[in-house]
Amino acid sequence: FCRSDLKAVASSLVPRKHAQSQPMAPFVQTFVDIVRNARVQEGERSTLESKLLDEAADMPCKRSTTATSTASTASTACSGHWASPCLSDFSTPSLVTSTSRTATEFLLPTEDVARLHRGLPAARRPSVHGFAAWALLVLAVVACGGWCLHELLPRAPKWSFPQRPGTMRRHVVDGRDVWVYLPSKVRTGTPLSAVMVLHGSLDTAMGIINASAMEHVAEADSNFIAVFPEMAQYKGMSWGYGNASEVKFFRDVSNLLTRQYYVGRDQVFAVGHSSGGSMALFLQDHLPDVFRGVASVEAGLPANQVWTGNGRPTMMVWNHNDPVLAQYGGEQLYNDTWSMLRRHDPSGAGPTSVESLSTSGGVVYAELLTWPARGSNPLTSVVSWKSSVPTHAWLNPTHIDGTTLDASKMVWQFFKNILVTPS
């Protein structure tokens, strides 16, 4: 509205006076609200408000149903509980309707006048349309067998994932969210592999999805699905390690994957970042019947955990300029971790292979160390690298400027090599 429009509308909305005091029509109050928010001079605004409120307070609706057709329809609409002015009392022809539906929409109960003059909004009441809407909602819930209601109930945050060629699916296992990325094109005829990606302390499944981009690797390879479970406590500090509920959770997730995604029983892997990496190291020793191999990224031995089994093939990705790892022992933790992984090696020898990796961008040095399976000790690989600036980030081009190294790709290649090796 421009100022001239406000004046014209205000003039057209002024009703004819009546002797008996009655409430105003709601759309007049709506116009008053428009005036209050419009860019008009203060004096002009006050004049318009006062005029509309004063004029609208003097409008009865007492005509009988024997009047003209328009007046009769409006009178019918105004009868009963509603005692507001009829639309035919307004001098603007375009605002007058012969339908009770429109008239009912514009009516205001008499008891709301006092609220309006005290500067309070009219009380909200259910309308015919409101009841109809609720009826439709109930019918919809019944029709869809309760699924719609389930979707409306509060739950964990509903993530919005970037566009991917494949499908990201949400499952609930033992009360916890588990996200599964199924590539757009997967291998058929033989079972798929699955890689569980465990997030770190105070992180989430969405956080590790963004950090690792493991679903991109799955999409490019088409031979495995990427799985992202949540901790038992949302944004918690640690995984449950040997707790009975935690052991059951990982077994149940594995069963879900083999049952619904045609994942081979011996083709389930795990990789984790930070405390998620420590959990992955724990799983290779305590659940070797579930996991074929594991990897840790920026993580060391879980504290106060006893390892008793032979373990499974394991890869470590370790940044020697990680400030978080430094707080937990730094180089001592590094040596203790790989030594524990090689505890069953009868030779006690060092790595049999040392391969230099790319040092472009923010990587000072990087090499791949490999210990073969010896005796009851499984294969062990370590990506030993150092960043130019301190960081606890997942190694990939997104987090380390200029590097071509990608921990997700290296971890999956390690798992693929395990698949062609007898268990």
Side-chain angles (χ1 to χ4, degrees):
F1 287 102
C2 64
R3 190 172 303 164
S4 60
D5 291 331
L6 289 173
K7 291 180 180 179
V9 176
S11 175
S12 67
L13 286 177
V14 174
R16 291 191 292 274
K17 297 260 186 165
H18 294 276
Q20 188 175 357
S21 177
Q22 292 290 339
M24 62 181 286
F27 72 85
V28 178
Q29 178 62 36
T30 300
F31 173 74
V32 172
D33 293 337
I34 294 174
V35 173
R36 285 177 177 150
N37 294 323
R39 295 179 179 177
V40 296
Q41 295 179 1
E42 188 63 33
E44 206 170 348
R45 183 186 321 174
S46 300
T47 300
L48 287 170
E49 288 184 18
S50 300
K51 187 173 183 179
L52 286 167
L53 288 171
D54 292 342
E55 295 285 356
D58 296 327
M59 300 189 300
C61 181
K62 298 296 183 182
R63 293 191 306 278
S64 67
T65 57
T66 60
T68 62
S69 60
T70 300
S72 175
T73 303
S75 178
T76 302
C78 295
S79 63
H81 171 74
W82 301 92
S84 301
C86 299
L87 289 183
S88 57
D89 285 334
F90 290 86
S91 59
T92 306
S94 62
L95 295 178
V96 179
T97 177
S98 61
T99 64
S100 60
R101 170 185 175 275
T102 307
T104 303
E105 288 178 349
F106 284 121
L107 298 178
L108 190 67
T110 305
E111 57 266 31
D112 280 340
V113 172
R115 293 176 60 84
L116 291 170
H117 280 290
R118 293 200 307 271
L120 299 174
R124 299 187 63 179
R125 294 175 174 78
S127 65
V128 174
H129 309 292
F131 285 123
W134 277 108
L136 288 174
L137 178 60
V138 171
L139 289 174
V141 170
V142 173
C144 63
W147 181 86
C148 299
L149 181 61
H150 168 74
E151 288 299 310
L152 293 173
L153 292 175
R155 58 173 184 251
K158 187 175 182 180
W159 301 116
S160 177
F161 293 98
Q163 188 64 38
R164 297 286 189 269
T167 304
M168 186 71 80
R169 297 177 180 175
R170 172 181 176 265
H171 298 271
V172 178
V173 179
D174 298 341
R176 294 155 66 171
D177 281 354
V178 177
W179 297 94
V180 177
Y181 182 80
L182 183 66
S184 58
K185 297 179 181 180
V186 294
R187 182 187 58 196
T188 59
T190 55
L192 292 170
S193 297
V195 177
M196 293 190 202
V197 187
L198 312 182
H199 64 79
S201 302
L202 305 177
D203 200 359
T204 63
M206 172 55 81
I208 200 63
I209 289 171
N210 291 331
S212 68
M214 186 64 80
E215 79 277 17
H216 285 294
V217 182
E219 184 66 37
D221 190 275
S222 299
N223 288 318
F224 76 97
I225 61 176
V227 184
F228 307 91
E230 294 279 6
M231 280 185 184
Q233 179 182 351
Y234 184 69
K235 288 189 175 182
M237 288 297 297
S238 175
W239 294 82
Y241 294 106
N243 293 344
S245 60
E246 194 79 322
V247 172
K248 179 180 181 298
F249 171 73
F250 280 100
R251 291 191 182 278
D252 289 345
V253 172
S254 177
N255 290 334
L256 167 74
L257 300 176
T258 56
R259 185 176 63 251
Q260 294 195 24
Y261 292 95
Y262 196 47
V263 170
R265 285 281 179 186
D266 61 345
Q267 294 178 228
V268 180
F269 302 90
V271 58
H273 176 250
S274 195
S275 64
S278 296
M279 183 61 186
L281 294 174
F282 175 86
L283 292 173
Q284 60 85 30
D285 185 77
H286 288 76
L287 288 178
D289 59 319
V290 175
F291 295 95
R292 180 74 175 271
V294 306
S296 65
V297 179
E298 309 312 322
L301 282 173
N304 303 318
Q305 300 297 326
V306 178
W307 289 13
T308 58
N310 292 330
R312 283 293 201 173
T314 302
M315 169 177 273
M316 285 174 55
V317 180
W318 185 283
N319 178 14
H320 294 269
N321 193 14
D322 186 324
V324 175
L325 295 178
Q327 295 177 15
Y328 290 89
E331 294 306 302
Q332 185 62 52
L333 178 61
Y334 169 73
N335 292 323
D336 290 345
T337 301
W338 74 256
S339 296
M340 179 63 73
L341 293 172
R342 299 302 304 169
R343 68 189 182 281
H344 296 301
D345 185 350
S347 70
T352 58
S353 172
V354 179
E355 177 187 351
S356 296
L357 303 176
S358 172
T359 57
S360 59
V363 176
V364 177
Y365 70 81
E367 55 188 14
L368 175 63
L369 313 177
T370 303
W371 288 259
R374 290 196 186 105
S376 60
N377 207 120
L379 172 71
T380 305
S381 289
V382 175
V383 176
S384 175
W385 71 288
K386 183 177 182 180
S387 59
S388 57
V389 296
T391 180
H392 189 56
W394 188 284
L395 175 59
N396 60 27
T398 299
H399 303 292
I400 310 299
D401 291 338
T403 187
T404 58
L405 299 178
D406 189 324
S408 294
K409 292 179 179 179
M410 290 187 286
V411 165
W412 172 238
Q413 186 59 54
F414 177 75
F415 292 159
K416 286 178 68 175
N417 293 338
I418 295 173
L419 289 172
V420 299
T421 304
S423 299

